[in-house]
Amino acid sequence: MYLSSATNRITVTWGNYGKSYSVALYLVRQLTSSELLQRLKTIGVKHPELCKALVKEKLRLDPDSEIATTGVRVSLICPLVKMRLSVPCRAETCAHLQCFDAVFYLQMNEKKPTWMCPVCDKPAPYDQLIIDGLLSKILSECEDADEIEYLVDGSWCPIRAEKERSCSPQCPILVLGTSDANGLLSSPNVNGSSGSMLGGSGGGGGTVGSIENGKPGADVVDLTLDSSSSSEEEEEEEDEEDEEEDGPRAKRRCPFQKGLVSAC
């Protein structure tokens, strides 16, 4: 029935079946979710000390049980919208300490009234809802954690997720440039002039360090110089001596292309 300028007529008919009947007529008004929330904040807040006593009762040692519970974790994230709680709420008939956000719970039931607890899936009507005063205090004091743990004495401690530390080794960067006649690699230094990156052509790998901003840099090992390079140089010297004695011969072909450095 809707109130309007038209007349609302009600007809009640019953038969004589040996039973008693009663008829009631109520004039009601639908409340919005914001109005229900304001009323819940006014008359539905449970004192923090009462909530603390409830925590102690939940964690009280049961002599008949072989398992002792030393703490219980409670998330500060609403199970409905996966956001941080603003108004922690639960039904007084629920056995759990986990709360959901009263703002979103009332808004969802305003559109589609089911009044079911999102934590335990049991009925949670409006007249049984309470606001957890202890968890409301915790939310204002603990802003850098998404989960807490209640202890047996009623106290609580935050549980912060340990951030993963990424440890990536920093290795020196080797810049390869064009090789000169002596087999040295040149690279621009800090002052803009070219400096030598790799050592000379000794037998075996050479090492040389670079200085930047007055601090010695990392040593660079020349892997292009090995025992084979020294033997090649000796062969070239013998060929040059033979050329001086017997005359010019065909030039030996360089095993590497010009401007490339062997990494073997």
Side-chain angles (χ1 to χ4, degrees), residues 44-65:
V45 180
K46 194 168 185 177
H47 196 272
E49 292 298 328
L50 297 177
C51 297
K52 188 175 181 179
L54 179 62
V55 172
K56 292 181 179 180
E57 183 180 355
K58 294 287 184 183
L59 297 178
R60 186 176 54 187
L61 180 62
D62 187 2
D64 298 333
S65 177

Side-chain angles (χ1 to χ4, degrees), residues 109-122:
N109 284 278
E110 182 181 16
K111 297 179 180 180
K112 186 180 179 181
T114 57
W115 302 103
M116 298 294 293
C117 176
V119 179
C120 60
D121 292 331
K122 293 182 179 180

Side-chain angles (χ1 to χ4, degrees), residues 1-244:
M1 300 175 61
Y2 298 95
L3 293 179
S4 63
S5 57
T7 303
N8 293 307
R9 187 179 298 274
I10 302 175
T11 302
V12 181
T13 305
W14 71 93
N16 188 10
Y17 299 112
K19 296 181 180 180
S20 301
Y21 297 91
S22 61
V23 178
L25 180 63
Y26 295 94
L27 180 62
V28 297
R29 181 176 66 90
Q30 185 177 3
L31 300 177
T32 62
S33 59
S34 57
E35 292 174 339
L36 291 176
L37 178 63
Q38 188 62 34
R39 178 184 294 183
L40 185 62
K41 289 181 177 180
T42 304
I43 61 175
V45 180
K46 194 168 185 177
H47 196 272
E49 292 298 328
L50 297 177
C51 297
K52 188 175 181 179
L54 179 62
V55 172
K56 292 181 179 180
E57 183 180 355
K58 294 287 184 183
L59 297 178
R60 186 176 54 187
L61 180 62
D62 187 2
D64 298 333
S65 177
E66 297 179 355
I67 301 175
T69 305
T70 58
V72 58
R73 291 190 175 187
V74 173
S75 176
L76 303 182
I77 303 299
C78 176
L80 286 172
V81 292
K82 306 303 179 183
M83 295 175 58
R84 188 177 176 86
L85 293 169
S86 59
V87 184
C89 174
R90 67 172 181 272
E92 202 165 10
T93 55
C94 290
H96 52 79
L97 298 174
Q98 179 65 50
C99 293
F100 48 86
D101 201 311
V103 178
F104 298 105
Y105 183 72
L106 294 176
Q107 289 177 357
M108 293 178 64
N109 284 278
E110 182 181 16
K111 297 179 180 180
K112 186 180 179 181
T114 57
W115 302 103
M116 298 294 293
C117 176
V119 179
C120 60
D121 292 331
K122 293 182 179 180
Y126 176 78
D127 56 354
Q128 294 181 357
L129 297 180
I130 59 169
I131 295 178
D132 194 322
L134 178 59
L135 197 56
S136 299
K137 184 180 179 181
I138 294 174
L139 286 169
S140 60
E141 296 178 358
C142 181
E143 298 180 354
D144 57 346
D146 294 334
E147 191 178 11
I148 64 165
E149 183 177 3
Y150 286 124
L151 304 179
V152 291
D153 58 351
S155 60
W156 61 275
C157 62
I159 299 177
R160 297 178 175 87
E162 185 177 356
K163 297 181 179 180
E164 298 181 357
R165 299 178 181 178
S166 59
C167 299
S168 57
Q170 297 180 356
C171 301
I173 300 176
L174 177 62
V175 181
L176 296 179
T178 57
S179 59
D180 54 7
N182 297 327
L184 300 178
L185 293 178
S186 61
S187 61
N189 58 13
V190 179
N191 299 326
S193 61
S194 61
S196 175
M197 286 285 296
L198 299 180
S201 58
T207 59
V208 64
S210 60
I211 300 177
E212 293 182 4
N213 298 330
K215 296 180 180 180
D219 293 339
V220 181
V221 179
D222 185 1
L223 300 178
T224 64
L225 302 178
D226 52 7
S227 58
S228 61
S229 61
S230 59
S231 60
E232 290 177 359
E233 291 178 359
E234 293 177 357
E235 293 179 0
E236 291 179 357
E237 292 177 357
E238 293 176 358
D239 292 341
E240 290 177 358
E241 293 177 357
D242 293 340
E243 288 177 1
E244 292 178 357

